Amino acid sequence: MSTSLESITQQRLDKLERLHKQGINPYPHHYHRSHTIAEAQALFNQKEPKEKLDLAGRIVANRPMGKATFMDIRDGSGKLQIYFRRDELGEEKYQLLQDFDIGDFIGVSGGLFTTHSGELTLRASDFMMLAKSLQPLPEKWHGLVDVEKRYRQRYLDLIANQEVKDIFLVRSRLIAAMRRFLDSRGFVEVETPVLLPIASGAAARPFVTHHHALDQNFYLRIATELCLKKLVAGGFDKVYEIGRIFRNEGISTKHNPEFTMLESYEAYSDYNEVMKMVEEMISYLAKDIWGTTKLNFGENTLDFSPPWRRLSLCQAIYEHCGIDFEQYPEANSLRAKMHQIGMDAEPSKSRGRLIDELISTCVEPHLIQPTFVLDYPIELSPLAKRKGDNPYLVERFEAFAAGMEIANAFTELNDPIEQRRRFAEQLSERERGDEEAQMPDEDFLLALEYGMPPTGGLGVGIDRLVMLFTNQSSIREVILFPQLRAK
């Protein structure tokens, strides 16, 4: 702690002690606030001023002027100027203002008026300390710009940077609108376990934890897919969950080890119907929040209005890499072709992993406008149903925008014998060293044996969608508490 900061903190501790000696509790249990600042402003604008309002907020500016003091206070709805006069409050009460600092929370009573400069102001008839701040606000309220500090102390980021708070208000509105959209279509929101005995439903390395009472290891879920499909088998025709997912993977501008995902499953549907729902849902969200389907992201204007572009994965890779992966049915031949065009291709990677590398390296960066990429190789999609006209591909799409994957969907595999065979292939990949290969889930296989109707499934990355809706290039900007390396 610097000497200057120690001095400021000590001064505030001294003021705290003075308040205690005067019998004033600087941290009272309760304060009755009659209106928010925004509500008070609205009343005044509607020509309905009240003689007395009880407002509260954090002091963000303090301007003593001898016999008068001006303060600005901010609550969750806005900012308002407060006017204190010594003649009206009395000498003893007025002197208490000396123990108030920027950052303190104050409760103020009084009536509204406009100053000569036209600024709406509350004339204080009474006030009280609601919480004494012992630390100064960052950079004297001019904004917190240290990125590391912004993420580690998000509360300071929210205090200092209004635009950061606005991002998370958009996030909240987006999730609420997403729920309205799905609810209006007859979907039922459910909750599934976070701790699971098997980590399956996605290609990801899980986090492991131990339950002491049961003396058993559990995994933090890497997807909600298998539990939700069990519910479809149990008779819920339309289900969804919006929840946290945990994957033990790298951290980047597009990845955080814990993130939020929507997963939905609709019986008697397939990936074509899910595709239509996705473009309708995201265009609905854009209109609900911004009033338009055209959103600025970086240097581009993204148009989410349906229909979105559709192209096959084979076409996309050929278009951007010059490789027709269907002509290379073995990993070694595909690896040789990748080397030929100057791409690294690790000897240990399976054909599916090599194709996935082609997608992320060659294709994704070019998919700026909302685009559906369809029909993936079976090696990459052990939970998806084969295409009727091509047994080497499955009915799967990924949705992209601004060079990011934002959604993933299948026509779900509901043949228990075929699913068991696919799980066995995944287990073989895991034994060959692929830590992200899926584990067999016997309980899920048993549920399929009882029967699950044809189903269309969907996963949408909420964090990346918020990035697009708020023009943010890093996922850390849209997660309130992103994962950081310990100091």
Side-chain angles (χ1 to χ4, degrees):
M1 183 183 288
S2 67
T3 303
S4 61
L5 184 57
E6 287 177 347
S7 174
I8 292 170
T9 301
Q10 187 56 55
Q11 289 172 19
R12 295 190 176 208
L13 286 169
D14 292 342
K15 292 178 181 181
L16 186 71
E17 182 62 23
R18 278 204 301 270
L19 291 169
H20 280 302
K21 286 181 177 178
Q22 295 176 73
I24 296 172
N25 179 5
Y27 302 103
H29 290 74
H30 177 70
Y31 177 79
H32 173 74
R33 181 174 64 166
S34 64
H35 298 79
T36 66
I37 287 173
E39 288 169 347
Q41 291 167 336
L43 280 174
F44 191 85
N45 293 334
Q46 294 163 12
K47 311 298 184 186
E48 297 181 13
K50 293 185 177 292
E51 291 184 3
K52 182 188 174 190
L53 301 173
D54 299 308
L55 307 182
R58 186 190 291 273
I59 301 170
V60 297
N62 188 3
R63 301 179 293 278
M65 297 178 181
K67 296 181 180 180
T69 296
F70 287 91
M71 287 183 182
D72 294 340
I73 68 168
R74 185 189 295 276
D75 68 6
S77 69
K79 186 175 74 170
L80 183 68
Q81 179 171 263
I82 312 297
Y83 176 51
F84 303 87
R85 277 185 60 84
R86 186 174 66 183
D87 292 348
E88 295 180 9
L89 292 167
E91 181 68 30
E92 184 178 351
K93 185 74 175 182
Y94 185 77
Q95 289 304 315
L96 289 177
L97 291 174
Q98 295 180 18
D99 291 328
F100 283 75
D101 293 294
I102 291 175
D104 293 350
F105 282 89
I106 187 172
V108 187
S109 301
L112 292 172
F113 72 103
T114 54
T115 63
H116 293 302
S117 62
E119 182 171 359
L120 184 63
T121 302
L122 184 111
R123 185 190 300 269
S125 59
D126 197 9
F127 63 90
M128 65 181 292
M129 176 76 75
L130 300 183
K132 183 67 185 166
S133 168
L134 301 182
Q135 297 286 340
L137 293 181
E139 300 192 12
K140 298 180 181 177
W141 197 253
H142 292 307
L144 180 65
V145 295
D146 183 324
V147 173
E148 179 80 4
K149 191 168 187 176
R150 286 182 53 234
Y151 296 152
R152 289 193 185 278
Q153 295 177 274
R154 181 67 89 181
Y155 48 91
L156 291 183
D157 193 20
L158 294 169
I159 292 169
N161 300 318
Q162 179 61 36
E163 63 274 16
V164 172
K165 185 177 179 182
D166 292 340
I167 290 170
F168 293 101
L169 292 175
V170 169
R171 181 187 177 109
S172 178
R173 290 177 59 195
L174 183 145
I175 293 173
M178 183 176 281
R179 284 192 165 101
R180 287 196 301 272
F181 178 89
L182 292 167
D183 292 346
S184 71
R185 288 183 168 230
F187 281 84
V188 176
E189 184 174 11
V190 297
E191 294 176 307
T192 61
V194 171
L195 293 177
L196 294 166
I198 297 291
S200 199
R205 184 189 295 114
F207 289 97
V208 186
T209 188
H210 188 76
H211 192 294
H212 290 283
L214 296 177
D215 193 21
Q216 177 183 347
N217 281 346
F218 282 87
Y219 301 92
L220 298 183
R221 66 186 181 191
I222 57 174
T224 58
E225 178 166 348
L226 302 192
C227 286
L228 290 174
K229 288 198 285 194
K230 290 176 190 177
L231 297 179
V232 175
F236 281 93
D237 288 348
K238 295 182 178 183
V239 292
Y240 76 93
E241 181 170 10
I242 297 173
R244 301 294 267 184
I245 302 298
F246 307 86
R247 295 181 183 176
N248 199 346
E249 60 189 13
I251 297 174
S252 75
T253 57
K254 298 179 183 178
H255 298 87
N256 193 67
E258 59 173 313
F259 58 97
T260 304
M261 181 177 285
L262 159 73
E263 287 203 44
S264 70
Y265 293 85
E266 181 175 357
Y268 315 108
S269 179
D270 67 3
Y271 79 144
N272 290 302
E273 293 178 60
V274 175
M275 215 178 309
K276 286 183 63 178
M277 186 180 79
V278 168
E279 61 189 4
E280 289 172 6
M281 177 172 67
I282 295 182
S283 64
Y284 165 84
L285 296 176
K287 287 179 183 176
D288 184 86
I289 294 170
W290 296 118
T292 177
T293 58
K294 295 182 179 180
L295 305 181
N296 293 326
F297 187 84
E299 298 177 351
N300 300 291
T301 298
L302 308 179
D303 187 354
F304 289 102
S305 58
W308 297 1
R309 183 188 180 200
R310 289 155 166 76
L311 75 160
S312 71
L313 177 61
C314 188
Q315 175 190 349
I317 291 178
Y318 185 77
E319 183 178 311
H320 297 291
C321 305
I323 296 176
D324 180 355
F325 68 77
E326 291 190 288
Q327 300 300 313
Y328 303 93
E330 304 295 334
N332 287 336
S333 61
L334 180 58
R335 188 177 293 109
K337 180 63 178 177
M338 291 172 67
H339 284 148
Q340 186 180 328
I341 65 170
M343 288 187 66
D344 290 332
E346 294 179 17
S348 61
K349 285 191 174 181
S350 65
R351 179 174 180 269
R353 293 293 180 202
L354 293 175
I355 293 172
D356 193 41
E357 190 170 317
L358 288 172
I359 298 169
S360 59
T361 303
C362 297
V363 178
E364 275 191 35
H366 298 283
L367 301 178
I368 303 303
Q369 292 301 323
T371 303
F372 293 117
V373 177
L374 320 175
D375 304 335
Y376 281 59
I378 195 168
E379 301 98 316
L380 279 176
S381 313
L383 296 166
K385 187 169 286 190
R386 294 177 191 265
K387 281 184 68 64
D389 59 353
N390 189 334
Y392 301 104
L393 300 177
V394 296
E395 291 192 347
R396 172 186 176 185
F397 74 77
E398 289 185 308
F400 296 88
M404 291 190 294
E405 177 203 341
I406 56 173
N408 182 30
F410 311 147
T411 300
E412 301 295 338
L413 178 58
N414 61 342
D415 178 343
I417 296 173
E418 172 68 6
Q419 185 65 80
R420 184 176 292 278
R421 188 187 67 77
R422 301 262 197 101
F423 275 148
E425 291 174 351
Q426 288 289 297
L427 188 58
S428 297
E429 293 293 331
R430 177 172 283 275
E431 290 169 351
R432 285 194 287 268
D434 186 350
E435 294 182 337
E436 294 187 352
Q438 297 193 38
M439 301 180 189
D441 187 326
E442 287 295 331
D443 190 58
F444 172 64
L445 290 169
L446 181 61
L448 287 187
E449 289 178 358
Y450 280 100
M452 184 182 84
T455 299
L458 168 68
V460 176
I462 300 291
D463 309 290
R464 291 185 182 178
L465 198 55
V466 177
M467 288 171 65
L468 295 179
F469 274 51
T470 57
N471 196 10
Q472 299 299 317
S473 59
S474 172
I475 197 170
R476 292 184 177 188
E477 295 291 349
V478 301
I479 295 176
L480 278 169
F481 300 100
Q483 195 67 43
L484 301 169
R485 188 183 300 276
K487 283 188 174 181

